[in-house]
């Protein structure tokens, strides 16, 4: 009688680790280029993030809040602005392409 539980366990562990490494996240997204201007204002009641696209082309961006809710993904045309207001615990992390 041959036991194969060690081989099966090793295979399951390898598959689990592979899935964990390849799982997408907000942090995997590329940081928005510097032509997406940002103005972050921390206030007692929350965080205000003002964005302006000066890239010359439309860019899709979102604001990432550490320990809080991120903004939706917005499509900003050249010259367009958008403000994300976050009311709660957390801090501005970065602006990413989405």
């Amino acid at each position: 009688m041959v036991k194969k539980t060690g081989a099966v366990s090793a295979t399951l562990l390898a598959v689990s680790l592979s899935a964990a490494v390849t799982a997408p996240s907000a942090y995997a997204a590329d940081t928005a280029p510097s032509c997406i201007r940002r103005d972050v204002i921390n206030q007692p009641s929350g965080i205000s993030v003002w964005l302006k696209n000066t890239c010359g082309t439309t860019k899709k961006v979102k604001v990432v809040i550490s320990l809080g809710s991120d903004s939706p993904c917005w499509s900003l045309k050249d010259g367009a602005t958008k403000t994300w207001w976050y009311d709660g615990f957390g801090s501005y992390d970065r602006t990413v392409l989405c």
Side-chain angles (χ1 to χ4, degrees):
M1 181 174 206
V2 177
K3 288 187 176 181
K4 293 187 178 184
T5 56
V8 171
S9 296
T11 301
L12 290 175
L13 177 61
V15 170
S16 297
L17 290 174
S18 173
V21 170
T22 59
S25 73
Y27 294 98
D30 291 332
T31 300
S34 61
C35 58
I36 301 294
R37 296 181 55 200
R38 305 138 168 99
D39 188 11
V40 180
I41 301 170
N42 292 304
Q43 300 178 3
S45 57
I47 304 163
S48 174
V49 182
W50 177 83
L51 305 172
K52 181 174 184 177
N53 180 356
T54 63
C55 298
T57 60
T58 299
K59 298 288 184 189
K60 288 187 169 190
V61 297
K62 79 178 207 172
V63 174
V64 176
I65 301 294
S66 184
L67 302 173
S69 299
D70 299 344
S71 75
C73 181
W74 296 303
S75 182
L76 290 180
K77 294 181 180 180
D78 183 46
T81 63
K82 188 72 176 179
T83 301
W84 172 246
W85 176 258
Y86 175 72
D87 184 19
F89 181 76
S91 61
Y92 172 80
D93 185 7
R94 63 188 176 140
T95 301
V96 298
L97 298 175
C98 52

